[in-house]
Amino acid sequence: MSTPAFGPPQPGAAAEKDTVVVQRTPGLPADIADLHGAFQHGYGADDVRTVFGRISDAGGPCLVCVWDFADAYGFGGNSEFYAEEDNGVLLELQQDAYWWLKRLPPRR
């Protein structure tokens, strides 16, 4: 089984109002294209729920974020993103998905 991921940003991005740039990624549904860079300035549990929920609602994989710890104040520490299969097995995501959400250039 292949690991789910979004493709890397493609050259030729189209500029929109207020200098918002939407990267054109083959196979990426238009209704989630605005999520490119959603975690550019960091993210918390609510951000993850909102963004991953929209990806899932658009037909993408069920994504989860695993944090180092959870306490009375919420989630914290380092985090990793995974795709969850129907049976609960977590699959590691390719780094392209993380880079896309953070609006980082793909690393080769």
Side-chain angles (χ1 to χ4, degrees), residues 41-95:
H41 301 290
Y43 54 91
D46 289 338
D47 303 313
V48 169
R49 285 186 200 100
T50 299
V51 170
F52 287 3
R54 284 195 48 208
I55 291 170
S56 179
D57 290 348
C62 176
L63 301 177
V64 296
C65 181
V66 178
W67 299 85
D68 278 344
F69 65 88
D71 60 20
Y73 301 104
F75 298 96
N78 293 324
S79 60
E80 296 287 335
F81 301 158
Y82 295 91
E84 184 176 12
E85 291 187 319
D86 291 337
N87 61 3
V89 172
L90 297 180
L91 303 172
E92 222 173 315
L93 286 180
Q94 293 178 7
Q95 286 294 314

